[in-house]
Amino acid sequence: MSEFRLTQISDTHLGRRFPGLIANFHAVSEHIDANRPDLVINTGDVSFDGPTSRDDVEFAKSLHNALPGACRYIPGNHDIGDNPTAIGPAPKPPVAEAHRQQFCDIIGEDHWSFEAAGWRFIGLNTLVMNSGLAFEAEQFDWLSQEVSRVNGGPVALFVHKPLFLNLPDDPETPETSIRYVPQPARARLIEMFAHVDLRLIASGHVHQRRDFSYRHTRHVWAPSAGFKINDQRQDRIAIKETGLVEYRFQPDSFEVRHLRAAGQVDVDIEELLAQMGGEH
C-alpha cells in the first residue's frame, strides 16, 4: 500500500438525549461515506458518559457501526473515567477497570498497533496512566515490545489527551493537570519513544483544533466532532470549533487536512448542560 488515508474524529460524546451531538455525528458520517478513507479512528470520549450509562456506550457504538469501512477507537475520560494526577482535585470519576472492560466489550480494543504504507500506527489508552491498575503496567510492557519492532520506520501515535501544551516538561497546574497526559507517566511515555522516528502525535480531549511541531514530531489536536466549550468555561489555546482531521500517509511523509463536515454546527456546552438539567 503506497498511500493510507485515515480520518480522525474525536470527542463525539454520543448519547440518545443529545440531538445536536447526534446531528453533528450524522454530518461527519455523511462526509466519511463520501470520502471513504481506509480507516476511521475515534480518539476518545466516544460516549457521553460511559461510567454511569452503559446505554451511552452502546448507542455510540451503534452509530459508529453504520460508518463505511473499518474503525478503531481509544477511550477517553468520558468513556472509562479520568487519570489520577499529582496535583489538583481527584478525578470524577476516576478510571476503573470495570469501565475499561465495558469499553472493550462494547466498543473494541482500547490499545492497538498495525502497519500501513510503511508506517507503524499505535493507539494507547492513556487514561489508565498513573492509575495503579494492573492494566497500566501491562500496556507499558506491550508498548515496549511494539516500539522494539519499529525497525527505523516512521511512527504515528494516537492518544486521547495531548502529551503537553508546549514543552514535554511543562509544569502541571491544578487548573490544567487533567488536560494533558499526567506526570510521571508522561515522561516515561516520551522516553519510550525517544529512539524511534515518532513523526505524529494525534489527540483530542481539549475540544480545540491545534497543529504544531516540537522538534521532529507534529502534534495534531483534533477538535470535538460534537461541541465546543465557550471561553467562560475554558481558556482559549487555539481554534474552538467542531470538525475532524484527515491524513494521507505515504512511506516517508504525510499530509494533514483540517476541515468541518458539511452541516456540522458549533453546539455550545451550555446547550448540553441545559438538556442535562440536574445531572451535572
Side-chain angles (χ1 to χ4, degrees), residues 57-246:
V57 185
E58 293 174 338
F59 178 68
K61 185 56 162 48
S62 71
L63 292 186
H64 284 77
N65 283 345
L67 293 174
C71 295
R72 288 185 183 264
Y73 311 85
I74 49 178
N77 49 296
H78 281 256
D79 300 312
I80 66 171
D82 212 344
N83 304 85
T85 57
I87 60 173
K92 295 181 180 179
V95 62
E97 176 60 25
H99 299 142
R100 187 188 80 84
Q101 194 58 57
Q102 174 181 263
F103 180 91
C104 293
D105 290 345
I106 299 171
I107 299 291
E109 292 179 310
D110 65 343
H111 66 298
W112 36 261
S113 175
F114 66 92
E115 290 185 340
W119 285 68
R120 169 68 65 172
F121 296 85
I122 297 175
L124 289 179
N125 177 347
T126 53
L127 278 304
V128 297
M129 294 179 182
N130 282 12
S131 69
L133 295 175
F135 177 71
E136 179 183 5
E138 293 170 12
Q139 182 178 232
F140 271 126
D141 288 344
W142 171 86
L143 178 60
S144 179
Q145 295 175 3
E146 291 301 317
V147 169
S148 72
R149 298 190 182 108
V150 169
N151 295 324
V155 178
L157 175 65
F158 288 81
V159 290
H160 180 59
K161 292 184 176 182
L163 266 62
F164 50 79
L165 175 60
N166 293 314
L167 300 170
D169 57 354
D170 281 343
E172 292 182 311
T173 69
E175 295 77 24
T176 65
S177 60
I178 62 170
R179 186 173 291 166
Y180 309 104
V181 174
Q183 298 284 20
R186 180 200 309 171
R188 181 179 181 185
L189 192 59
I190 290 170
E191 175 59 28
M192 292 181 76
F193 283 95
H195 304 294
V196 301
D197 185 10
L198 181 61
R199 301 271 188 98
L200 169 68
I201 301 176
S203 61
H205 184 58
V206 186
H207 288 237
Q208 299 192 41
R209 187 192 295 284
R210 192 176 184 218
D211 189 335
F212 72 101
S213 293
Y214 176 76
R215 294 182 176 169
H216 72 286
T217 303
R218 190 165 174 180
H219 296 250
V220 174
W221 297 9
S224 168
F227 68 93
K228 67 175 187 176
I229 304 173
N230 58 62
D231 292 351
Q232 288 69 43
R233 291 190 177 271
Q234 181 203 54
D235 54 313
R236 181 179 291 268
I237 301 168
I239 299 169
K240 293 189 174 185
E241 65 178 10
T242 56
L244 62 150
V245 186
E246 293 180 341

